[in-house]
Amino acid sequence: MNVHHGIDSLTPLPHAVVTSGTFDGVHRGHQKILNRLTEVARIEGGESVVLTYWPHPRTVVSNDSQNLRLLSTLEEKITLLDQAGVDHLVVIPFTRSFSQLSSEEFIQLVLIEKIGTKKLVIGYDHRFGRDREGGFDYIQTHQAEYGFEVEEIPRQDIEAVGISSSKIRTALAEGNVRAANLFLGRTYNLTGTVVKGRQLGRTIGFPTANLQVDDAIKLIPANGVYAVDVLYNGQRLGAPTLGGMTNIGFRPTVAGENQTIETYIFNFDQDIYGEHITLQFREYIRPEQKFNGLPALVEQLKNDEQKARELLAML
């Protein structure tokens, strides 16, 4: 996949089949659109093009975006779109001035002059341009003068999937990673650097890898304990086919002050400080809670480990 950052250096393609959107999470609803995009490009002998925007438009135009957290970083989105078989990804810097483009300006400047669009494939009720003024009906009415066709994924097809990025964010905020994974069509991941913590886990027999996520805007699931797979250099860590258990929270039993993401990796004792790892969230085990001292905490951790191993063995 060719990745283009910005549109200034773009040269129009001979037969561009295009779609547009934020594609946060590249979930199963998005995948339906992408499958149709790549199918049309293949049938028509063209090249598939995805236009996406970074940062997320809500962080620029919305007054209540300070708490917005995303399902995918830009790097993750690029990887997922590549895996979807897209030929070209155009990442458009979303600025306040760009948000003021009218639908007509967006069509002329971006779709026609820069991309050379021959067909536009969009999801049901997809809107674009200032105040979301443009849409399928508008383009369909003017497609002859624009020189490209437009195809809208039928409403019933979109509603049959019944998946949105907002619905997945809500599931993760509730700790429901099973539902989130079902909607995504894969596991929800957190990637970051292993940093040093208080190293209390070592003293109680549960040494943990403390994760500092790569991007602060990435959504962290609800506080609690999870069964996870752990990837390091593309390989799973821990016992064969198993990973570990992750605690997200403030560690109330030991008077923690900041939220941490701590993972006990099964059957693993290597030094990976400063290394990048990825946590794949498989199942929620229990909420975070305060115990009456370290012995009670250790006893619960043993139960958590057994539960996590059982869950991972079944998944």
Side-chain angles (χ1 to χ4, degrees), residues 278-299:
T278 295
L279 305 179
Q280 297 182 319
F281 286 79
R282 305 301 300 273
E283 187 63 273
Y284 177 81
I285 296 176
R286 64 170 175 85
E288 183 180 46
Q289 59 192 104
K290 183 176 181 179
F291 296 93
N292 186 23
L294 289 179
L297 172 61
V298 170
E299 196 61 33

Side-chain angles (χ1 to χ4, degrees), residues 201-214:
R202 292 183 178 277
T203 68
I204 60 175
F206 286 89
T208 59
N210 299 309
L211 189 74
Q212 180 177 294
V213 295
D214 285 340

